[in-house]
Amino acid sequence: MHSPQREWAFLGSSHGFSLLLKRNCSISPQGMILVFALLALATLGIATGFALAGAWLVLPFAGLEVAALVLAFLLTARHAADYERVELMPGRLCVEVAEGRALRRHELNSGALRVRHAPERARVLLTCAKSGEIEIGRHLDVEARVVLADKLKKTLSL
Amino acid sequence: MSAVVDSHGHGHEHHDHHGGYSGIMRWITTTNHKDIGTLYLWFSFIMFMTGGAMAMVIRLELFSPGLQWVDPDFFNQMTTMHGLIMVFGAIMPAFVGFANWLIPMQIGAPDMAFARMNNWSFWILPFAASLLVISFFMPGGAPGVGWTLYAPLTVQMGIGMDLTIFAVHLLGMSSIMGSINIITTILNLRAPGMTLMRMPLFCWTWLITAYLLVAAMPVLAGAVTMTLTDRHFGTTFFNAAGGGDPVLYQHIFWFFGHPEVYIIALPAFGVISQVIPAFSRKPLFGYASMVYATSAIAILSFIVWAHHMYTVGMPVTGQLFFMYATTLIAVPTGVKVFNWVATMWKGALSFETPMLFAIGFLFLFTLGGFTGLVLSLAAVDIQLHDTYYVVAHFHYVMAIGAVFAGFAGVYFWLPKWTGRMYDEALGKWHFWLSTIFINITFFVQHFSGLAGMPRRIPDYPLMFETWNKISSIGAFGFGLSQLLFLYIVLKAIRSGEKAKDKQWEGADSLEWTHLPTPVPYHSFETQPVLK
């Protein structure tokens, strides 16, 4: 087995870079809706059949189960499409954070920017006088956040 | 632009491994899929031994004609609880244990999608199992109605029946939570590059099983709730005197019950589909056809339920429909058996214990499937219904099929789970003793069944004595052989030789190719990218 390898898609340092950080969701929210809808349809269809045959008490249990499915779907899909885009362009760093339905976009002066680690779980914070502190790297594990912060510091100092 | 490529990502040894708890609290509060998998597997083994002890009582009583050891009521309680405990307490949790351990590792996910719910799904089980066991100590004892819990007998039972109904509800809740978790995990947490058609077949079989569980469980919940309201709230769903229909219960139960057979069998197919290619040193033959065959079996399982009910009376067209639909299941099952054999064909075979159990499964499950075909024929089934032929058939499929696949899986993944190798010689002893004794137990039951011996009776005519004696001896032997299994597992954990990262050279799923042995507590926190 080969050793762990971490590769970052930073483009040439003098021309800036674009980094998209997002969760790994192997199915789209739309795909998940389709899957869960088919399940709910099958469950409710079967229960309706039994209700028509006189066994109506199957229906409430099917309803409860579908409610559980919907809850599971909502929990999964709520933040499935969250992302952070960090783009370095000449003189400025653009950070776009999508969280649930909210989309925030920050344009920071790359010359007056500081990258630092918060002690708690190595959170990566971008500090600048105008926008205050912006956290990035929430979709990464601790180890990857450390790498991200180091890379950012190096790239920004060039 | 991609953010991270990390092939291993298991550098988290500095984390607190057990959420700050140790001892028993670690196991109660754990949300780690490996811990929960281990809990499921030990729980299922305890239940396997409990249900097995009940089987010993049954076989002891049946050793000779006449009533020797237990009264008929208690005998009926034993057969009922043996079935319920083995199906819901032993076999199903065992495969959920495998799912917990393996699915995240095989798809490159850090854990199950809903880790806390995973903890709850497990911890419901001991309470449900306790209710089943406590029912023996209630006035009137445990229900003696058979694991199918047929009305109207269920209406006449004591308070033990209510405990059993509650237990079935809890077991169903646990299964549904587990299924939602498995579906979400497999669909949403696969590593980049791990497309559905690249997943190990074990994950496929569990994905389809989870669908079956979600579709079938509310039906069972409804059935036992209607039994409860008939018992205590004056409804007459299943009481003909009040306008109800006891046969309706049978339809509802078997609409759940037949998919349940595949809920047990499909994960077993998944295990076998991992083991046979590994010891044949070849990829699984006909992967896509295996996926489609599994799906076909799952769909067909919903339209064959009334083959359990030929004798309750149904129109000839109904009999024909269920007969043809049932025989149709032989086609996708045959595809699977063919593919397993074709995988071995011209492979570089070796016969370590997991492979022996897999081959044992292949022979014996096929034999059980074949007697299933015999029973699917309405004209034959009417003769054999409720005889020991049926007992032999479903034990070959469910007991031998599922249990042998379970053993194959434990021997196959134990080195990866524990980092220790089991004693191969003892493993082979376990296989041969189990195979010989289980066939002594159940093969002869075909003969007593064909001769007309009914099931669920503590006494029988003298003409059935020889087959019953042989069957009982086989059962005692099989029961004792399982103590050897326990010893082998404990010995491996305590003092087994250190296992290699890739203990089986033919194994090719992510847990063998991308993770060290034993697997770290946290694995794939950063998902691997598969080319």
Side-chain angles (χ1 to χ4, degrees), chain B residues 446-487:
Chain B
H446 292 110
F447 307 141
S448 45
L450 283 169
M453 178 164 164
R455 63 194 283 205
R456 294 176 177 148
I457 53 159
D459 188 10
Y460 52 83
L462 198 59
M463 62 182 280
F464 300 124
E465 186 182 13
T466 308
W467 295 133
N468 274 291
K469 275 201 160 39
I470 293 171
S471 186
S472 291
I473 290 166
F476 300 146
F478 183 75
L480 287 172
S481 307
Q482 304 328 305
L483 297 176
L484 177 61
F485 173 65
L486 178 64
Y487 172 73

Side-chain angles (χ1 to χ4, degrees), chain B residues 502-523:
Chain B
K502 195 174 174 192
Q503 183 65 37
W504 315 115
E505 62 166 318
D508 62 357
S509 43
L510 288 187
E511 78 274 24
W512 295 107
T513 56
H514 280 61
L515 291 172
T517 292
V519 276
Y521 194 65
H522 297 288
S523 47

Side-chain angles (χ1 to χ4, degrees), chain B residues 28 43 47 85 88-89 119-135 162-174 177:
Chain B
I28 290 172
F43 172 82
M47 287 288 104
I85 286 175
F88 292 105
N119 173 290
W120 302 339
S121 335
F122 172 77
W123 280 108
I124 285 175
L125 288 183
F127 294 100
S130 306
L131 284 175
L132 286 177
V133 175
I134 288 169
S135 68
D162 300 320
L163 296 190
T164 303
I165 288 171
F166 192 39
V168 169
H169 271 302
L170 291 177
L171 293 162
M173 272 171 61
S174 166
M177 289 199 287

Side-chain angles (χ1 to χ4, degrees), chain A:
Chain A
M1 285 191 297
H2 51 96
S3 61
Q5 228 181 7
R6 200 176 290 280
E7 295 165 11
W8 290 83
F10 284 90
L11 293 179
S13 51
S14 56
H15 306 295
F17 63 83
S18 176
L19 200 61
L20 179 65
L21 306 172
K22 58 179 186 176
R23 284 182 177 202
N24 173 49
C25 291
S26 44
I27 189 169
S28 65
Q30 289 78 11
M32 207 62 160
I33 287 178
L34 186 70
V35 167
F36 277 21
L38 285 175
L39 261 176
L41 207 67
T43 307
L44 290 175
I46 290 165
T48 307
F50 279 112
L52 292 174
W56 59 268
L57 262 172
V58 176
L59 210 46
F61 288 103
L64 276 174
E65 189 185 79
V66 169
L69 280 170
V70 169
L71 187 69
F73 168 74
L74 289 176
L75 286 171
T76 313
R78 201 171 38 157
H79 291 290
D82 287 4
Y83 68 89
E84 292 169 2
R85 191 190 304 277
V86 183
E87 275 180 304
L88 180 66
M89 283 168 278
R92 62 201 167 101
L93 184 82
C94 295
V95 179
E96 192 175 277
V97 180
E99 202 170 8
R101 289 181 180 175
L103 180 68
R104 295 189 303 277
R105 200 176 155 78
H106 309 271
E107 279 206 17
L108 313 170
N109 179 353
S110 59
L113 195 62
R114 231 160 45 86
V115 181
R116 73 177 186 92
H117 277 303
E120 179 207 341
R121 288 187 62 79
R123 290 162 63 217
V124 184
L125 298 170
L126 302 174
T127 315
C128 85
K130 193 179 156 196
S131 304
E133 278 192 332
I134 300 165
E135 183 182 351
I136 59 167
R138 275 169 294 193
H139 303 297
L140 301 174
D141 61 28
V142 174
E143 204 175 60
R145 283 177 197 165
V146 174
V147 179
L148 171 67
D150 290 347
K151 288 273 187 184
L152 267 177
K153 278 179 195 168
K154 269 186 201 158
T155 314
L156 288 169
S157 66
L158 285 171

Side-chain angles (χ1 to χ4, degrees), chain B residues 95-216:
Chain B
F95 287 117
V96 181
F98 281 108
N100 261 288
W101 254 106
L102 298 169
I103 287 174
M105 295 198 300
Q106 290 191 334
I107 62 171
D111 207 309
M112 299 295 279
F114 303 111
R116 286 192 188 88
M117 188 166 83
N118 204 17
N119 173 290
W120 302 339
S121 335
F122 172 77
W123 280 108
I124 285 175
L125 288 183
F127 294 100
S130 306
L131 284 175
L132 286 177
V133 175
I134 288 169
S135 68
F136 278 105
F137 305 102
M138 293 293 119
V145 296
W147 84 279
T148 52
L149 308 175
Y150 270 9
L153 207 51
T154 43
V155 182
Q156 302 158 14
M157 290 287 130
I159 197 170
M161 188 69 224
D162 300 320
L163 296 190
T164 303
I165 288 171
F166 192 39
V168 169
H169 271 302
L170 291 177
L171 293 162
M173 272 171 61
S174 166
S175 295
I176 288 168
M177 289 199 287
S179 301
I180 292 175
N181 217 343
I182 286 169
I183 291 170
T184 314
T185 305
I186 291 177
L187 292 180
N188 207 35
L189 298 188
R190 277 171 290 124
M194 176 61 79
T195 59
L196 283 173
M197 291 308 277
R198 287 179 75 183
M199 281 196 311
L201 210 80
F202 177 76
C203 298
W204 257 114
T205 55
W206 247 114
L207 180 62
I208 293 165
T209 301
Y211 269 78
L212 283 181
L213 275 163
V214 168

